[in-house]
Amino acid sequence: MTATLLCFLLAAPVLLVAGSPVHDSNNKTVPLVLWHGMGDSCCNPLSMGAIKKMVEEEIPGIYVLSLMIGKNVVEDTENGFFKDVNEQVSMVCTQLAKDPQLKGGYNAMGFSQGAQFLRAVAQRCPSPPMKNLISVGGQHQGVYGLPRCPGEHSAICDMIRKALNSGAYSDLVQKHLVQAQYWHDPLNDDLYKKHSLFLADINQERGVNETYKKNLQLLEKFVMVKFLQDTVVDPVDSEWFGFLKTGQAKETETLQESVLYKEDRLGLAAMDKAKKLVFLASKGDHLQFTNEWFNANLLPYLR
Ligand SMILES: *[C@@H]1O[C@H](CO)[C@@H](O)[C@H](O)[C@H]1NC(C)=O
Ligand SMILES: *[C@@H]1O[C@H](CO)[C@@H](O)[C@H](O)[C@H]1NC(C)=O
């Protein structure tokens, strides 16, 4: 209830601004789009609400859009577990294209799964243009394990674990379970490549979609934050686009050691060469950072 109310209060000034045709030509702020993580919502005053407020205080005049997937906070939270990711991405593309404030481009910041979803937006929907993509604890090569659930959703997580164990790559589970859509089983690489509806597609596992490659390279910077004591993401290497080596579940490889990079199937090697990839590490558990860390390390990419 409190969260819903706050969300409304936070959203209200944005609505007023949206109707205004007045544009200050000295206004050089680049809008920011946020996509929350699993178990979270657009407007939780302790998470996305706080980030939005903090950025607005640091960069006066900035337009910050915290994405709500669905009609309200409850739907938004549920959709983070159960709504087909490709549909979510497509909904967001439509919303961004319709937003007059984003016409000139925007920066995007995704938290946890929201980060790989925003990368899909960059790859599939180049208009309006995304300038910087900041991935905060995102899982760009997926996860192979769900050791702990963030927040107070452990009952849902137990259920998700059961579904993933019973067959993450069955069509039914793929369609209805968000986490299955970035489940990456290195022991069943063929199944992953063939049946992963979301991750295998955006990571060019079934072929190279030149559009994805071209669009991703339009980014000015792709910043990836890894949490050094992360107990939620397994393996944590995924936050820097690394993963487990195929065929076993112990040894990991970095992005630079991967086939994806070596064959440059997604343009990441080219981006690395052009100094567009930024790898940041933060002390602490999943999504745990201080305002000081945020301001010193991430804010520079939002100005
Ligand atoms: C700057 O531009 C943004 C986005 O167009 C707008 O929301 C904001 O109100 C503007 N700020 C000022 C101080 O003009
Ligand atoms: C490549 O991606 C674009 C953008 O999403 C899509 O329209 C197109 O159908 C894709 N092509 C293939 C061969 O999947």
Side-chain angles (χ1 to χ4, degrees), residues 225-252:
V225 178
K226 176 166 98 173
F227 291 92
L228 296 173
Q229 283 86 35
D230 202 310
T231 61
V232 173
V233 172
D234 189 14
V236 69
D237 311 62
S238 193
E239 298 183 353
W240 277 358
F241 230 126
F243 203 63
L244 293 157
K245 289 183 181 165
T246 304
Q248 52 86 59
K250 253 178 117 164
E251 264 187 76
T252 57

Side-chain angles (χ1 to χ4, degrees), residues 29-259:
T29 63
V30 179
L32 174 64
V33 173
L34 305 174
W35 196 328
H36 62 78
M38 164 174 123
D40 201 2
S41 72
C42 59
C43 311
N44 182 342
L46 297 176
S47 63
M48 293 305 103
I51 301 276
K52 182 178 193 291
K53 209 168 140 204
M54 187 165 79
V55 172
E56 285 166 345
E57 277 167 13
E58 294 294 330
I59 308 176
I62 191 172
Y63 171 56
V64 182
L65 172 68
S66 183
L67 291 166
M68 183 195 272
I69 314 297
K71 288 192 277 296
N72 53 51
V73 169
V74 174
E75 254 190 55
D76 188 18
T77 309
E78 285 173 1
N79 285 340
F81 290 107
F82 305 119
K83 189 170 181 64
D84 186 312
V85 180
N86 290 319
E87 274 177 41
Q88 296 193 41
V89 168
S90 146
M91 278 166 62
V92 166
C93 285
T94 307
Q95 186 183 347
L96 301 186
K98 278 201 290 210
D99 191 329
Q101 307 225 58
L102 302 180
K103 269 210 174 77
Y106 65 96
N107 292 319
M109 185 180 281
F111 294 83
S112 202
Q113 66 182 19
Q116 58 265 32
F117 301 170
L118 278 171
R119 177 163 61 84
V121 171
Q123 291 176 211
R124 291 177 184 165
C125 310
S127 172
M130 189 187 288
K131 292 168 181 278
N132 293 331
L133 171 58
I134 297 143
S135 160
V136 186
Q139 301 100 44
H140 295 282
Q141 277 291 2
V143 294
Y144 185 51
L146 198 65
R148 210 169 57 75
C149 231
E152 300 126 35
H153 296 87
S154 57
I156 298 186
C157 275
D158 288 342
M159 202 192 78
I160 292 174
R161 253 178 238 117
K162 270 189 201 138
L164 291 171
N165 287 333
S166 80
Y169 299 120
S170 80
D171 287 346
L172 190 72
V173 176
Q174 278 290 311
K175 263 279 172 217
H176 297 287
L177 190 60
V178 163
Q179 289 68 34
Q181 296 179 37
Y182 57 85
W183 189 252
H184 189 166
D185 182 346
L187 302 174
N188 286 291
D189 199 48
D190 290 347
L191 282 181
Y192 162 67
K193 285 184 172 157
K194 210 160 146 200
H195 297 287
S196 162
L197 286 180
F198 173 71
L199 193 70
D201 177 71
I202 63 162
N203 284 359
Q204 310 274 50
E205 299 283 12
R206 286 190 278 269
V208 173
N209 184 328
E210 291 296 337
T211 308
Y212 284 176
K213 202 171 160 177
K214 190 185 83 204
N215 287 344
L216 192 63
Q217 290 180 80
L218 295 174
L219 289 174
E220 289 167 18
K221 295 278 184 208
F222 177 17
V223 180
M224 284 174 264
V225 178
K226 176 166 98 173
F227 291 92
L228 296 173
Q229 283 86 35
D230 202 310
T231 61
V232 173
V233 172
D234 189 14
V236 69
D237 311 62
S238 193
E239 298 183 353
W240 277 358
F241 230 126
F243 203 63
L244 293 157
K245 289 183 181 165
T246 304
Q248 52 86 59
K250 253 178 117 164
E251 264 187 76
T252 57
E253 65 185 14
T254 62
L255 168 65
Q256 286 78 1
E257 290 162 346
S258 70
V259 171

Side-chain angles (χ1 to χ4, degrees), residues 13-14 17-18 20 22-31 60-64 100-102:
V14 176
V17 171
S20 157
V22 187
H23 277 282
D24 178 356
S25 54
N26 292 325
N27 184 353
K28 296 267 183 350
T29 63
V30 179
I62 191 172
Y63 171 56
V64 182
Q101 307 225 58
L102 302 180

